[in-house]
Amino acid sequence: MPESNSAEGSDRSEEQVSGAKVIAQALKTQNVEYMFGVVGIPVTEIALAAQELGMRYIGMRNEQAACYAASAVGYLTGRPGVCLVVSGPGLIHALGGMANANMNCWPLIVIGGSSERNQETMGAFQEFPQVEACRLYSKFSARPTSIEHIPFVIEKAVRSSIYGRPGACYVDIPADLVTLQEKVNSIKYKECCMPPPVSMAEPPAVCMAASVIRNAKQPLLIIGKGAAFSHAEDSIRKLVEQCNLPFLPTPMGKGVVPDNHPNCVGAARSRALQFADVIVLFGARLNWILHFGLPPRYRADVKFVQIDICAEELGNNVRPAVTLLGDINAVSKQLLEQFDKTPWRYPTDSKWWKTLREKMKSNEAVSKELASKKSLPMNYYTVFYHVQEQLPRDCFIVSEGANTMDIGRTVLQNYLPRHRLDAGTFGTMGVGLGFAIAAAIVAKDRSPGQRVICVEGDSAFGFSGMEVETICRYNLPIILLVVNNNGIYQGFDADTWEKMLNFQEAATSVPPMCLLPNSHYEQVMTAFGGRGYFVQTPEELRNSLKQTLEDTSKPCLINIMIEPQSTRKAQDFHWLTRSNM
């Protein structure tokens, strides 16, 4: 018997494991659940190893879309998704997704295959300085030196992606490490990293912030996606209601407090920003989306109370009255404690509330009038009015495009946090289908029955339209709405198009923003087995949306024709107008 035991122990000590399996196990040990990618030399074995361990691998059609999907998973779950790409061009395609994740502050791990170590500088297949290139787009970029080193690097990448301000991290895997074998007992996996530490603001600063809010004549809360990521919805909603404060969500801050809450002043956005005397920023940055916090969009004497997890963000573009460094949820609770100790409530009958409500009523009336127009083709407001009527309250809304996204933000409402994804801080086009796939995969696993409504401009759809095949392959519960105006910003109708082509060569006469009129994008969906609709009237839109919401057996694309010259209603301030510095 002793001899037999010794032989078994000897067999185990000689057991070998490949680098691919070590990578998969290291990710699994760090509680990473989702992997998106486009496989090929040298990373196919990594995807297979991940599937063997029960990780979800979703094969995409383009590395950019795979990277967008993996980053959206990081935002939705708080744990990074993985984007798996091949060397050289494969990684370069993924850089857009890495930059987008870093700008949006979303956790992401990109694993890129690279040329073999002994071929470096020799002109190897797809050789490229990948680690160096990714440093511009990530928080952490490294290459393991051996199979034994892989678990250490992956743990650090996962930890770096979620600690502090979240972001993208890159792990480079030389081709020879993927298939290289090493003794099982020589691999030491690092224990799963601890959850991110929760930091709190300094108590004197919290007291000062509460005092500034109490003394405000025209207060405003701005709720950013940082608040959504930190799961601050309960504490912020309680603060809004307890103190009767008006709030304005940023695009992906929508739903932290429901859009239909009586204190939401999204319909009076410009007025609220321009005349508030105290603004509290909950995980929202004073960048281009909020017009840098500068006049003429804001009062010259406005006081900012800035709450952010990143110290370097505090004081950007303005000098805040108070800065609160810490986790948004934790700091919101600290503020609530101040108002629990000494209750205070902003008066409902104040002149400020009256001003905001009058502007909201006026703007809503204009939007309603635009939506009620009976003329054909439809305009944006008519489309979104009929869509909003039927949307499930718990659906994810994904959106990208120019007017499609901007107008959709004002009309399509969110009632739950982390249920809206759009072009975000980086203003990235092409994110829509990747984001929708990520939301649908997470919804399938965690909230079966939830639908994903992906609202695309026709130009935006073109960036990643082939991901429709991915949607159909995995039979994801996604409804794609392509709001089709035949162009980028604006296009031409078929008659004008024909006249233009008859007049001159297309290359010299077609304006750069024009696309082919009346393109049948719905046929892309039917080509892969989904359902497609080509709609031109409100009745056709209502009926097609109703059918696809009732029948969840297949994904769907509704191609919605609108007036090519349709635009948004007149704005007090244009979205991208520069502030007077």
Side-chain angles (χ1 to χ4, degrees), residues 215-252:
N215 290 316
K217 299 289 190 297
Q218 298 179 173
L220 177 68
L221 308 185
I222 297 181
I223 302 172
K225 67 176 175 286
F229 187 79
S230 73
H231 290 244
E233 52 267 21
D234 291 341
S235 54
I236 291 179
R237 181 167 185 168
K238 187 175 179 183
L239 184 66
V240 165
E241 294 176 347
Q242 186 170 317
C243 297
N244 192 37
L245 292 166
F247 74 90
L248 177 71
T250 66
M252 276 188 273

Side-chain angles (χ1 to χ4, degrees), residues 508-548:
T508 56
S509 64
V510 175
M513 71 284 295
C514 285
L515 301 174
L516 196 67
N518 302 334
S519 295
H520 283 267
Y521 297 111
E522 78 283 355
Q523 293 180 9
V524 179
M525 180 63 85
T526 58
F528 298 114
R531 286 199 304 275
Y533 299 88
F534 184 81
V535 308
Q536 297 175 290
T537 68
E539 184 179 17
E540 289 173 347
L541 173 58
R542 286 194 303 269
N543 290 341
S544 59
L545 188 55
K546 183 173 185 289
Q547 287 173 28
T548 196

Side-chain angles (χ1 to χ4, degrees), residues 301-338:
D301 61 348
V302 62
K303 293 180 179 178
F304 286 102
V305 175
Q306 198 172 4
I307 308 170
D308 205 282
I309 198 170
C310 178
E312 290 82 355
E313 187 63 41
L314 301 173
N316 264 358
N317 299 324
V318 302
R319 184 177 179 84
V322 188
T323 59
L324 301 175
L325 176 63
D327 174 80
I328 308 300
N329 189 30
V331 177
S332 300
K333 289 177 179 176
Q334 287 181 282
L335 275 173
L336 270 172
E337 288 174 7
Q338 292 296 315

